[in-house]
Amino acid sequence: MTNVVELKVGLHCEECIKMILKSIKKIEDIETYDVDTRLNKVTVTGNVTNAQVVKALHKIGKQATNWEQDSTTSS
């Protein structure tokens, strides 16, 4: 089953982004992933749950919250 996991994550520097990408790539059964530095948003698609992605990010010291909780409309 394919799920889309969207999380808000602090993307402060290139090193943070590299760590996040490395962590995400280790998750089994992912199909695609995207890191949007402008929105501080991480999107992972595949046979994964929010909890799996959050746990992987917590292991590297990153806080992650569900995108819907923190999303705001900006113009």
Side-chain angles (χ1 to χ4, degrees), residues 2 24 43 49-50 72:
T2 300
I24 289 171
T43 306
T49 64
N50 279 32
T72 57

Side-chain angles (χ1 to χ4, degrees), residues 23-60:
S23 178
I24 289 171
K25 289 176 186 178
K26 290 181 181 178
I27 302 170
E28 290 185 28
D29 296 331
I30 63 167
E31 294 173 11
T32 64
Y33 56 88
D34 181 60
V35 175
D36 187 327
T37 55
R38 189 175 57 82
L39 296 174
N40 286 333
K41 181 178 183 180
V42 173
T43 306
V44 180
T45 306
N47 187 18
V48 294
T49 64
N50 279 32
Q52 286 175 294
V53 180
V54 168
K55 183 178 177 182
L57 294 174
H58 281 189
K59 282 184 179 179
I60 60 168

Side-chain angles (χ1 to χ4, degrees), residues 5 18 20-21 26 41 45 52 55 61 66-67 75:
V5 175
K18 287 178 187 176
I20 289 167
L21 289 173
K26 290 181 181 178
K41 181 178 183 180
T45 306
Q52 286 175 294
K55 183 178 177 182
N66 289 334
W67 181 253
S75 49

